[in-house]
Amino acid sequence: MDSTGVPHVLEHTVLCGSQKYPCRDPFFKMLNRSLSTFMNAFTASDYTMYPFSTQNPKDFQNLLSVYLDAAFFPCLRELDFWQEGWRLEHENPSDPQTALVFKGVVFNEMKGAFTDNERIFSQHLQNRLLPDHTYAVISGGDPLCIPDLTWEQLKHFHATHYHPSNARFFTYGNFPLEQHLKQIQEEALSKFQRIEPSTAVPAQKPWDKPREFQITCAPDSLASSSSKQTTVSVSFLLPDITDTFEAFTLNLLSSLLVGGPNSPFYKALIESGLGTDFSPDVGYNGYTREAFFSVGLQGIAEKDIQTVRDIIDRTIDDVIEKGFEDDRIEALLHKIEIQMKHQSVSFGLALTSYIASCWNHDGDPVELLKLGSQVAQFRQCLKENPKFLQEKVKQYFKKNQHKLTLSMKPDDKYSEKQAQMEIEKLKQKVSALSLEDKQQIYDKGLELQAQQSKAQDASCLPALKVSDIEPSIPFTELAVTLAAGDVPVQYCAQPTNGVVYFRAFSSLNSLPEELRPYVPLFCSVLTKLGCGVLNYREQAQQMELKTGGMTVSPYVLPDDSHLDTYEQGVFFSSFCLDRNLPDMMHLWAEIFNSPCFEEEEHFKVLVKMTAQELSNGIPDSGHLYASIRASKTLTPAGDLQETFNGMDQVRLMKRIAEMTDIRPILRKLPRIKKYLLNADSMRCAVNATPQQLSPAERVVGDFLGNLGRSKKERKPVRPHVVEKPVPNGPGGSTQSGSHVIRKLITEPTFKPCQMKTHFLLPFPVNYIGECVRTAPYTDPDHASLKILARLMTAKFLHTEIREKGGAYGGGAKLSHSGIFTFYSYRDPRSTETLQSFAKAVDWAKSGKFSQQDIDEAKLSVFSAVDAPVAPSNKGLDHFLYGLSDELKQAHREQLFAVHREGLVDVSNKYLGVGRSTHGLALLGPENAKIAKDPSWIIR
């Protein structure tokens, strides 16, 4: 047991070729030979899971065959281990004079993962709270230990763990089960003898007294306060997760303790003003054999550690004394009911993840899924003993000696020390090498490079054909009617399982420019500050009791036929059980007509949380931030995207969170409300079962009838508005008078320009985005560019950026808005990757791809185009983008028609140097080359 990450490196390496499919990298090749809707692999602390899904029966068999062979009969070639795990290699593999460095996909992935301070905290929390066995090590691999892993150890781990006697299979869906079982038996199980695997995780020995630890991390340059960057949490070990009912009860209890503004820990900790947000892993964690509960604060001053600990102890005593209000317990049980009814397209995957841990420790997965009977048993226990929950709090929190206090504070030299330790590790490895070893490293490096560059034969892998793709899409029945005079409402009858979905979209056209940057903040606090007679706590309670959630978010919707035209607005989204629709619409009416913007203290709390969440999200989404910034100057919509969702927004929120007097910001909210929360330029959409539609029509009509209107017509701030009628649904011609008129903004004088930005961040890896202005959705070139992006990713960029460059991910994509993006993720390289992007364009222009390559790219694009849509989201494209089924079908035919000449043509027309405007952005550490280049802006 160690932190070399052997299970994680193995997860990567088994997917690099197997007995039946000996070609290199069957996993990435199957992405383009299948219509899969999901393909991946995950390594948890104590199991590795290989999930996939598809809607095509033949495809399911193909993927099952590839996955079974990968798991049970992988090649585990040494060069694949070098590429995926770690290797010593010359900085430039062709030049033995360059320095030896560590390379490898998992090595860089984990370096990237630990740039995230929340991840560092979570990892230590688990390692320290469960120190006796497997949970004391890092299953994903510690970057400083990964280079101790040998190829022999990897093969040994596979031999001892990857056996059917130690495996579990899970299928979900409507393909016949017998077929799956037969295939699993024939292709895997029949080739093994039963063994008794010795992989059980022993119980953690409980402590006789509490423990404490301090750790350090890198300072967060985007956090709102440099003096308040300490995190502290108190965690308690809970019983074995295989005790299904106890686990259910403790999970519920945790939600009562930390969920939402009415919970005791929210009131005591979040509203104390000491920190910005709960500590990582707050609440119930059931992913280890024994569960644990954790609670604490991040963004505190180091001197407040003891204060936070005292508050936690006091709160536990309070709860034992006072218990919980019945309404809060009802709200939680309601949440379970609505979650059981709400259908998501990844429901099967969610179930697999839900049962994996418990089943892995020999719990009963079927018992676990019987939520209804667990709820009934829970109600019974409460009825028999009203103090049932208080006694649990006393037992597991008050009297529990297995209690860990973990604190983490920033150290200015943290990144330097990490880098220094890596240099030491490298020195130690290199100094142990003989001349012969060095020669071998050089030869292996060349061999790996040659193997990565060699044209590969994937003919051994099964594949679907383009003819397996459905030629036409099923049409969605929609009806659009006018309510309250002139507000269009789109109705879509769907099998929603007794749940009603209500959405609205309200235009931002008349909002003054200076208020624009504050729209995301307005959206995130609108449903959290109270409304009508309800204060924010009562409002949260009503939302929990009566709805599945009510969210508000800013949207920039590109036009489908013109790059300089877009629609801007705010999207309101919510759902509830059909019996609660009147209550939900009443809540929306109160939020629209009388939102409360007086709660200064609570507003401060929400601002700090938002700023902290944005800052914490950067290590996971760095490539998205880079891409948004890179496209800022390419279209008018790009500029607004950066304002709403880019680094500009992250920095604005940091500034607001640092303000001593927040009232000037709070005063902007009622001004935004005046332009936004009325029926003037609004449209709505309802998805529900057929029998629910007419009651819904009444309730929505009443809601709209009670909304305010502007006394005088407000002029749009940007003078150029294009009115665009939307077809009324399938077969509905626009002639009969369209009910939906979208008011789009256009900027006829807009000139795209190039901008290059480097955001300096204390990460050891880079996130890169390069964007090009190309063609809108309805242009046939758009279809060619969409296929081209996939082709470049699969056939060129994957090899260049991931295999050779060692980045965790990279590729090309085309957005609905006609922006073509090259990106890389957790990338050890920077300017070299930009050269790889340029090389990819040359490769595309030279047309070095076969018809087979094009067909594979089409399969991959169609698997995304035809991804399943949940009943709740049917018709949403039509509602938001005005995309009719006819337009989608036309685009589909353009995709089918894409051919080789067209691909070379669009490469030349848009992507070549000097053709179309490019934008570039990079998030990452200091960079000498960029610093010397005056064309880059450094932020």
Side-chain angles (χ1 to χ4, degrees), residues 457-510:
D457 177 16
S459 56
C460 61
L461 288 170
L464 293 181
K465 300 192 221 14
V466 173
S467 56
D468 290 320
I469 302 169
E470 288 292 331
S472 56
I473 52 166
F475 275 36
T476 305
E477 284 292 327
L478 301 170
V480 180
T481 59
L482 293 177
D486 57 354
V487 181
V489 186
Q490 170 183 301
Y491 292 96
C492 182
Q494 289 290 329
T496 56
N497 229 350
V499 181
V500 179
Y501 297 84
F502 169 80
R503 271 81 166 217
F505 185 85
S506 183
S507 168
L508 281 170
N509 287 354
S510 58

Side-chain angles (χ1 to χ4, degrees), residues 321-338:
E321 190 193 334
K322 297 180 187 142
F324 302 99
E325 296 151 27
D326 292 347
D327 249 7
R328 292 207 52 231
I329 297 172
E330 275 315 311
L332 259 180
L333 296 173
H334 164 261
K335 195 173 181 176
I336 293 170
E337 179 184 2
I338 200 162

Side-chain angles (χ1 to χ4, degrees), residues 663-682:
R663 280 171 306 190
I665 305 293
L666 193 53
R667 284 199 288 271
K668 294 181 193 294
L669 302 185
R671 292 178 58 206
I672 297 175
K673 177 230 176 244
K674 194 171 76 184
Y675 292 97
L676 195 63
L677 302 185
N678 53 53
D680 291 343
S681 42
M682 187 174 166

